[in-house]
Amino acid sequence: MQDRSLKPSAFGTAWTLLSHEVFAGRAQLPRKVILASLLLAVLFVGHSWATTQPPTAQQGILDLSSWNPTGDGSVKLDGEWEFYWGQLLTPDDFTKPFPTGTINYIPLPSAWNGFKLDGVSVESEGYATFRLKIVPAPINTALALRLLGINSAFRLWLNGSLLAQGGTVGKSVQTELPNPSPVLVLFQNDRPDLELVLQVSNHTYRQGGILSSVCLGPEALLMAEHTRPKVVAFFFTGSLLIMGIYHLALYGFRRSNIPPLYFGFYCLLWSGNHLTSDSSEWAILSLLPGTPFVIIDRISWICFILSVPVGYLFFKSLYPQYFSTLLMRLSQIFAVIFTLIAILFSSIAFTSLLPIYYLISSILILYCLIKLHNAKIQGEEGATFILAGFLILGLVGINDMLNDFGAIHTAYLLPVGMFSFILFQSFALSLRFSRAFAAVERLSSELECKNVKLVEEIQERARLEREVISISEQERRRISHDLHDGLCQQLTGARLRCSVLESKLAATLDNPSELSQLSTLLDESVNHAYDLSRGLWPVEHDPKAESPSLEELVRRFADSSGISIEFRKKEACDSCSNEHITQLYRIAQEAISNAVKHARARKIDVTLTCTAGDAVTLSVRDDGIGRSKAKNTRGGLGIGIMKHRARLIGGILTIDDTATGGTLVTCTAFCSASRAKAHASHTTG
């Protein structure tokens, strides 16, 4: 792992361009967003702009005569180290007569894989000793050495003293205990030169050797450099965790919106990968020290493998018409296969196949970039920002894969790529939310207007219904009065004249029965006309009465049906002023009719109760067979009419079976005077 630093001026210029292009609000925003993304990606992926070349070792000797620890800071011990393949040597071995032969030198940092020894390439599995002399070295200075990227185990001697150890160096996989975590060792130099002897064994990983620079420098400086990667790792891991949980919560609140679910899992997978990978210098060991590296490696690789199909699912859920379903299935199949390999096989076997998955991932990255570009061209919502963010992440991902494969030597930039992707995805999410909120506000305004109109229409409809009912009742009363005062009186007069005529002509007529039959017919007609008049508007004895008579209604039903019907009235007012008494009369008329026709009742009780001018309650109780047994009889329209009349007057209608098997119909209508009084008291209160 090599450090890469950016010039402050270059970084500031890039950020200024990015801010200007994204937020200036000028024309052709999509093109400028992508241009700014490319500038940012080039800055982060590019090589170091160091102006001075650090000293390098030549044939196992590093000259630091020009190095000042106080002013120059730390120095990387790069260059040619002595290399003894297949030997685990100690400093004592170098004090004895050494076997004759050519000393090999290997450039560090690098893997020993493929290094030629006598024309034969070195394999990844094995063990070796590295040796470096540093002359002249700073004297009487508190120094430190920082080692990282050593797969899998090592032992370090400084000037003949064992200074540090990572894992257990072994000559086989059975005797080796891998522990490639970074190590910082402090020492006080009291000699004019330094001799480093480093034993390394690797029976676990795809690459063996020293893959990152060994650093020498002042104690405080190297301690800060040792701590910084973990701080940065925890920052990015925490950010990814927060974003993952946030998007999962968004999905929990709205299950129909699938993209936040996949993006949440995508963030969680990358947070797990970063926390357990060498790109964060295994930051998880700071939280869980002593965790076996076999488990840490498996978690890291599985998170990486699963992130590929999950990321593809995120894009397909956003723009399903652009991304292939077949390719989605293939990515899932490959992810399952490589996950099983990572679990079941050794690290060397798995990592030897890892370049295949790197190739698959790179192809998917390029495919997704093309499809996102197509979505942007078609003007899909948020496609510009998603494309810009993924362009950075894709370039960073390819950089890290090539770096891990050893094809290039740059810094691991995954956190930067994920940060950029999340940033641009948040822009897209904000754009979608702002448009959604605007649409909701517009629809809410339209809905509010429609609701107002609907309420007005309902109120107008209710008013018209009440007016129609009122007109109907008034027309009933007019026809009833006309029948009572007109036709009934005329028929009564005709019957009386017929009776007088019958008595005068009784002695002279040969057949007086015909005149008697005419008198009887007139008498029945009079009774029928009176019944019609009372049915339309029972006036009892006062043709000017303002409301129909329940007593007369009960009497007529009792006379016509032969059923015992009793009426009881409990009024708190001398004269009922409830404007809904007419509708209660009609409900009572329908309830009594149903009891007579369908209930097979022998007795019916009708009660009208007024509670101190607040409400009027009508109840009709029968001792019939009940609704459950009468449900198969013809009818049903009458109950609907009763409910409709109750709704018109704002009443409460209940129809229940009684404990004795009959039916009880109850309707309560509130008095307008009591409602006005209650409203007035509520207002003054």
Side-chain angles (χ1 to χ4, degrees), residues 495 498 502 515-526:
R495 182 177 59 80
C498 185
E502 182 182 5
L515 194 58
S516 176
Q517 291 175 358
L518 178 60
S519 178
T520 301
L521 182 61
L522 287 173
D523 191 51
E524 291 176 354
S525 297
V526 170

Side-chain angles (χ1 to χ4, degrees), residues 228-385:
R228 187 185 305 117
K230 292 182 175 57
V231 174
V232 174
F234 284 127
F235 168 76
F236 280 110
T237 302
S239 301
L240 290 172
L241 284 174
I242 292 173
M243 292 303 297
I245 296 172
Y246 168 74
H247 282 82
L248 291 180
L250 284 181
Y251 171 74
F253 290 131
R254 189 184 175 195
R255 298 294 181 87
S256 60
N257 190 21
I258 300 296
L261 173 66
Y262 295 133
F263 193 79
F265 280 122
Y266 191 71
C267 291
L268 294 180
L269 287 171
W270 275 117
S271 67
N273 171 267
H274 187 61
L275 193 64
T276 56
S277 69
D278 58 346
S279 60
S280 67
E281 298 186 5
W282 298 278
I284 193 173
L285 291 175
S286 299
L287 300 175
L288 302 173
T291 305
F293 265 90
V294 175
I295 297 177
I296 293 177
D297 269 353
R298 294 298 190 272
I299 295 175
S300 174
W301 292 120
I302 290 173
C303 288
F304 164 70
I305 292 168
L306 296 180
S307 68
V308 175
V310 172
Y312 190 92
L313 284 172
F314 169 66
F315 292 136
K316 184 167 179 58
S317 64
L318 281 176
Y319 312 111
Q321 67 273 28
Y322 296 95
F323 289 84
S324 168
T325 302
L326 176 61
L327 202 57
M328 178 188 71
R329 302 298 183 201
L330 290 176
S331 67
Q332 294 171 348
I333 292 173
F334 277 114
V336 171
I337 293 174
F338 275 86
T339 299
L340 292 176
I341 294 174
I343 295 174
L344 301 176
F345 290 82
S346 65
S347 296
I348 290 183
F350 168 72
T351 53
S352 63
L353 297 175
L354 194 59
I356 299 176
Y357 202 74
Y358 281 166
L359 178 61
I360 296 172
S361 302
S362 301
I363 294 173
L364 280 178
I365 289 173
L366 297 176
Y367 174 83
C368 291
L369 287 173
I370 294 173
K371 294 302 179 180
L372 288 173
H373 181 262
N374 294 340
K376 180 193 76 68
I377 292 176
Q378 296 299 322
E380 296 291 343
E381 186 179 55
T384 299
F385 292 111

